[in-house]
């Protein structure tokens, strides 16, 4: 029956839908035929190179999550919800991210495959869901690359008015060189960029505290003055308690997109050294670090900038909109704008690289399971799926639209259509984990046998799943209020939902797939594969210094 697993002669489970027909080959060319047996396929073992260490995947996730959303976007959150409303919103979303990270870590430790949660859905839920989620991720990542390049050009124009086309060309060429390079090159670049971001976060948080406490000559001590006037909350759309709640809710929705990217650390699991130990460890550390950075930044921004400051609503897209720059400028510190703009530039380009990694590896994973053309399985001698990279580089040419301001505005609106994709991905991660736990119960296998497991995740995954669904359905609530209807905002908030549902339903209709029965999910096969994996070696215990190091250890 379509959608079920069957055992091969080798004792491994294979999905009967996902096996493309393999023509007879001679002995000399048989190595060119993908071997799709096993959880982590032999094709992945043979074609990809494990060049990413634990420090790389931790920094890839941090580099994806700490970007322009932190340095430029916090001002909008303060203006919408007030200092306390913004802090509570980010704290709530931080709990969701924690739940998602733990769910992803448990499943990825058992199933360390390229494409991460997209491939997990194929094994744990339904091939149709894998197809829908996978193409949604590819769609979003392919559009994110030109959008981030466009954002980089806007940031560059803070210093110079040289024709935008020249900068677009340079950024595309450099991005392509990195994407076609050995995976470790990409990992080292993201490692450096992530450290720059971390250092800037630490610097601006300390700077904000110095300004707030009166450490700058001529600047009075503020303390929590702005929490009292204009107040801890901002009334949004409505008035009174309801208006303050709506302000909080709008901030929480924005926070989801600020945290977006933390789920990318498992996308290249098959290219990660010792993934069954390194990915769970990275999940724990990345959540703690990103949460500390964001919460500290939100708290400090709410202390040094008034939520009523009109400059927070500026749409210039450069460092001028950063609340840190506003606070530094008011304190008479002149060099901060260029420093923040420079790191924002590396952040935007880094986010472009991260989207390219996630998009190409997801497309490669779809091709492995027969959900994308086989041509995307081709890899270089150093393990790079070059047709996947080439496809994404071609999409990057859309960045030339930023040469025309009108075209850029249209393009940014188009990119907004994929914003809900982050929540869709988080929903898939939580659903995959819950299905894994139910299958363990159904098959009588204790969860303690998993390579990594926490008892609390039985509850936190439900919390994350329900919360993400509610936020997804209410993300565009403002358009339903009196006088605020906007067709563009409605479409950008909700179009992704019918797109995913159409892809899911269309695949099921055409391929006649069924939801994988709990008793047919190959958990024991995955456990045996994990136990027999020569790379599955426990990581040496951290030293006291490493445990205290919350930044890059």
């Amino acid at each position: 029956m379509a959608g079920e697993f069957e055992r091969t002669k080798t004792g491994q489970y294979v999905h009967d839908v996902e096996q493309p027909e393999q023509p007879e080959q001679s002995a000399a060319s048989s190595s060119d035929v993908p071997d799709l047996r096993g959880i982590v396929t032999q094709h992945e073992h043979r074609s990809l190179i494990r060049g990413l260490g634990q420090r790389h995947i931790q920094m890839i996730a941090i580099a994806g999550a700490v970007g322009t959303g932190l340095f430029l976007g916090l001002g909008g959150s303060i203006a919408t919800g007030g200092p306390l409303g913004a802090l509570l919103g980010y704290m709530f979303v931080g709990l969701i991210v924690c739940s998602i990270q733990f769910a992803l870590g448990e499943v990825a430790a058992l199933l360390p495959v390229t494409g991460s949660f997209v491939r997990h859905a194929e094994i744990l839920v339904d091939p149709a869901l894998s197809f829908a989620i996978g193409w949604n991720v590819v769609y979003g990542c392919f559009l994110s690359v030109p959008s981030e390049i466009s954002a980089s050009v806007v940031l560059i124009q803070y210093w110079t008015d040289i024709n935008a086309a020249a900068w677009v060309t340079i950024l595309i060429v450099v991005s392509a060189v990195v994407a076609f390079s050995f995976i470790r090159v990409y990992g080292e670049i993201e490692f450096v960029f992530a450290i720059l971001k971390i250092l800037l976060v630490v610097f601006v948080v300390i700077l904000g505290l110095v300004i707030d406490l009166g450490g700058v000559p001529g600047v009075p001590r503020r303390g929590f003055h702005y929490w009292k006037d204009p107040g801890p909350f901002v009334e949004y759309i409505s008035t009174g308690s309801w208006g303050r709640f709506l302000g909080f809710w709008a901030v929480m929705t924005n926070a989801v997109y600020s945290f977006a990217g933390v789920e990318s650390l498992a996308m290249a699991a098959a290219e990660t050294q010792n993934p069954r130990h390194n990915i769970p460890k990275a999940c724990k550390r990345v959540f703690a670090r990103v949460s500390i950075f964001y919460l500290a930044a939100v708290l400090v921004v709410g202390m040094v900038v008034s939520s009523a400051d009109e400059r927070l609503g500026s749409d210039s897209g450069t460092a001028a909109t950063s609340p840190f720059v506003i606070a530094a400028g008011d304190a008479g510190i002149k060099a901060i704008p260029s420093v923040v703009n420079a790191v924002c530039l590396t952040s935007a380009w880094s986010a472009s690289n991260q989207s390219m990694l996630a998009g190409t590896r997801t497309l490669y994973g779809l091709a492995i399971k027969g959900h994308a053309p086989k041509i995307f399985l081709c890899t270089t001698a150093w393990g790079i799926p070059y047709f996947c990279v080439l496809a994404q580089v071609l999409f990057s040419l859309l960045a030339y639209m930023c040469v025309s301001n009108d075209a850029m505005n249209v393009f940014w609106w188009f990119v907004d259509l994929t914003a809900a994709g982050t929540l869709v991905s988080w929903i898939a991660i939580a659903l995959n984990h819950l299905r894994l736990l139910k299958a363990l119960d159904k098959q009588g296998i204790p969860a303690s046998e998993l390579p990594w497991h926490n008892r609390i995740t039985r509850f936190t995954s439900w919390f994350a799943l329900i919360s993400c669904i509610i936020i997804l359905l209410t993300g565009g609530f403002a358009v339903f209020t009196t006088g605020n209807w906007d067709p563009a905002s409605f479409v950008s908030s909700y179009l992704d939902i019918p797109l995913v549902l159409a892809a899911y339903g269309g695949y099921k209709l055409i391929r006649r797939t069924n939801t994988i029965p709990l008793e047919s999910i190959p958990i024991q096969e995955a456990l045996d594969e994990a136990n027999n994996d020569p790379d599955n070696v426990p990581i040496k215990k951290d030293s006291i210094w490493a445990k205290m190091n919350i930044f890059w250890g």
Side-chain angles (χ1 to χ4, degrees), residues 26-283:
S26 64
S29 62
S30 61
S31 62
D32 297 328
V33 182
D35 184 351
L36 302 183
R37 296 175 298 173
I39 302 298
V40 182
T41 67
Q42 294 302 313
H43 186 75
E44 289 170 275
H45 279 303
R46 184 173 62 247
S47 302
L48 302 179
I49 296 176
R50 290 186 168 177
L52 295 177
Q54 184 190 130
R55 65 185 178 92
H56 296 123
I57 59 174
Q58 290 185 52
M59 290 307 180
I60 287 172
I62 291 177
V66 177
T68 53
L70 174 62
F71 300 119
L72 302 182
L74 285 186
S77 297
I78 297 293
T80 301
L84 182 56
L87 183 62
L88 292 176
Y90 275 82
M91 287 177 65
F92 189 86
V93 174
L95 291 176
I96 296 175
V97 172
C98 176
S99 303
I100 292 297
Q101 287 291 89
F102 275 66
L104 178 62
E106 285 195 15
V107 181
L110 179 67
L111 308 169
V113 294
T114 299
S116 184
F117 57 89
V118 174
R119 292 272 299 283
H120 298 160
E122 172 97 17
I123 300 170
L124 299 170
V125 187
D126 189 332
L129 181 64
S130 175
F131 175 85
I133 298 297
W135 279 106
N136 185 65
V137 171
V138 170
Y139 168 67
C141 289
F142 271 42
L143 288 177
S144 292
V145 173
S147 74
E148 294 292 351
I149 290 176
S150 299
S152 300
V153 172
V154 174
L155 291 166
I156 291 173
Q157 290 176 336
Y158 179 78
W159 296 300
T160 178
D161 57 358
I162 295 177
N163 192 294
W167 296 115
V168 170
T169 302
I170 293 173
L171 290 170
I172 289 178
V173 170
V174 174
S175 297
V177 170
V178 173
F180 279 109
S181 300
F182 177 49
I183 187 67
R184 192 177 183 88
V185 173
Y186 165 83
E188 295 295 348
I189 290 175
E190 289 301 286
F191 182 80
V192 173
F193 281 168
I195 289 180
L196 287 176
K197 295 178 187 180
I198 291 171
L199 292 176
L200 180 62
V201 172
V202 174
F203 171 72
V204 295
V205 167
I206 294 175
L207 176 65
L209 288 174
V210 171
I211 294 173
D212 181 71
L213 297 176
V216 178
V219 178
R221 182 183 184 278
R222 295 192 181 101
F224 284 88
H225 170 74
Y226 293 129
W227 285 53
K228 300 175 182 178
D229 181 22
F233 292 95
V234 171
E235 294 179 346
Y236 181 66
I237 296 178
S238 185
T239 59
S241 299
W242 180 241
R244 290 190 288 271
F245 173 78
L246 292 181
F248 155 76
W249 194 259
V251 166
M252 189 168 59
T253 304
N254 294 336
V256 169
Y257 308 122
S258 295
F259 279 102
V262 292
E263 71 279 0
S264 63
L265 62 85
M267 279 297 182
E271 296 168 87
T272 301
Q273 300 166 5
N274 196 358
R276 290 185 168 91
H277 287 274
N278 279 328
I279 289 179
K281 194 169 186 178
C283 285

Side-chain angles (χ1 to χ4, degrees), residues 1-22 34-42 119 122-124 127 368-370 516-517 520-526 529:
M1 180 181 295
E4 295 184 356
F5 285 85
E6 61 182 12
R7 188 181 291 272
T8 66
K9 293 179 181 179
T10 62
Q12 294 175 308
Y13 283 89
V14 185
H15 198 288
D16 61 358
V17 182
E18 62 200 29
Q19 297 236 42
E21 293 183 4
Q22 299 178 4
D35 184 351
L36 302 183
R37 296 175 298 173
I39 302 298
V40 182
T41 67
Q42 294 302 313
R119 292 272 299 283
E122 172 97 17
I123 300 170
L124 299 170
I368 283 180
K369 311 310 289 185
I516 307 297
S520 298
I521 294 176
I523 296 178
Q524 190 58 55
E525 170 71 2
E529 199 166 294

Side-chain angles (χ1 to χ4, degrees), residues 480-548:
F480 299 111
T481 58
T482 304
N484 291 303
W485 171 253
D486 179 26
S489 297
F490 173 78
V491 171
S492 64
S493 296
Y494 293 109
L495 181 62
D496 202 57
I497 298 175
L499 287 179
V500 172
L501 292 177
Y504 176 76
Y507 189 90
K508 285 189 73 70
L509 183 65
I510 295 173
R511 300 295 294 269
R512 303 292 181 182
T513 64
N514 297 318
T515 300
I516 307 297
L518 293 175
E519 60 273 12
S520 298
I521 294 176
I523 296 178
Q524 190 58 55
E525 170 71 2
L527 290 173
D528 292 341
E529 199 166 294
N531 293 332
N532 295 325
D533 182 1
D535 293 327
N536 185 12
V537 180
I539 299 174
K540 186 176 70 172
K541 295 292 184 180
D542 287 335
S543 64
I544 295 178
W545 164 248
K547 291 180 179 179
M548 293 174 61

Side-chain angles (χ1 to χ4, degrees), residues 342-367:
V343 177
C344 284
L345 175 59
T346 65
S347 297
W349 187 63
S350 171
S352 170
N353 288 340
Q354 186 267 340
S355 294
M356 189 165 287
L357 176 75
T360 54
R361 272 40 177 192
T362 301
L363 183 57
Y364 179 83
L366 288 171

